[in-house]
Amino acid sequence: MAKLTWYSKLETDSTYHDTDSIFAGTYTGAKAITVSTKIWNNRWGTKDENDLKNFTVKIFFENDEDNSLLKYITVLYNGTQEVPINIINNYAIIDFVGSVTISGKKNNGIESENRNNYITLDLKFDPNGAKSLKPDDLKNLYLEIIDK
């Protein structure tokens, strides 16, 4: 089994924070909200763990009625490649099966020396002035890794 840790930052932050939750801010319609997340496998591990491959990322809102907002989310993989999102029922699914592996090799936790031990996902919420949104309405968005 992979040994995952999550690190997140807002576009206004200079460093990532070891966290499983982050307050992304308040949507006002004037600016999109972007959260960057690094998903590490076995960071600072002293022995090898299983690689994470053949996995999907499931994105969903806490309340089912908010899942209509999933169409306003885009995701960049490793800061450069926009990944296709499939919206199925109340979930946005990003399928990395067969295309991405996060190494579980032991490592010293330094990003530049262990590029194969993590991926970065930049989630951008930009409804582009959609009239149906209420500004300042609190929403909780979740990411879940599903190992196939």
Side-chain angles (χ1 to χ4, degrees), residues 2-138:
K3 187 176 178 183
L4 301 180
T5 49
W6 299 69
Y7 299 84
S8 298
K9 74 172 188 156
L10 303 176
E11 57 190 336
T12 56
D13 293 337
S14 59
T15 59
Y16 284 85
H17 307 283
D18 180 0
T19 182
D20 60 359
S21 66
I22 189 167
F23 176 71
T26 303
Y27 173 73
T28 63
K31 188 171 187 277
I33 295 174
T34 302
V35 176
S36 294
T37 300
K38 284 191 190 293
I39 304 168
W40 274 82
N41 187 6
N42 198 27
R43 189 170 196 184
W44 294 296
T46 56
K47 63 180 180 118
D48 290 347
E49 297 288 340
N50 291 335
D51 293 345
L52 179 64
K53 52 186 172 184
N54 296 323
F55 67 99
T56 59
V57 177
K58 182 166 71 170
I59 303 170
F60 57 98
F61 284 93
E62 181 175 47
N63 298 313
D64 286 344
E65 67 268 13
D66 295 331
N67 287 320
S68 63
L69 301 174
L70 290 170
K71 63 186 173 192
Y72 299 119
I73 294 175
T74 56
V75 178
L76 286 182
Y77 165 67
N78 287 340
T80 58
Q81 178 184 351
E82 186 171 331
V83 293
I85 297 175
N86 298 314
I87 297 176
I88 302 169
N89 297 323
N90 290 323
Y91 305 103
I93 305 293
I94 303 170
D95 189 6
F96 288 115
V97 173
S99 63
V100 173
T101 297
I102 308 175
S103 174
K105 296 279 186 202
K106 64 182 178 180
N107 65 84
N108 61 7
I110 298 171
E111 288 181 21
S112 61
E113 296 176 16
N114 300 284
R115 189 60 200 101
N116 293 330
N117 286 84
Y118 68 91
I119 63 169
T120 303
L121 299 177
D122 298 323
L123 280 79
K124 181 178 180 182
F125 177 75
D126 188 5
N128 202 15
K131 302 285 188 240
S132 61
L133 296 179
K134 296 184 286 183
D136 307 322
D137 192 18
L138 184 62

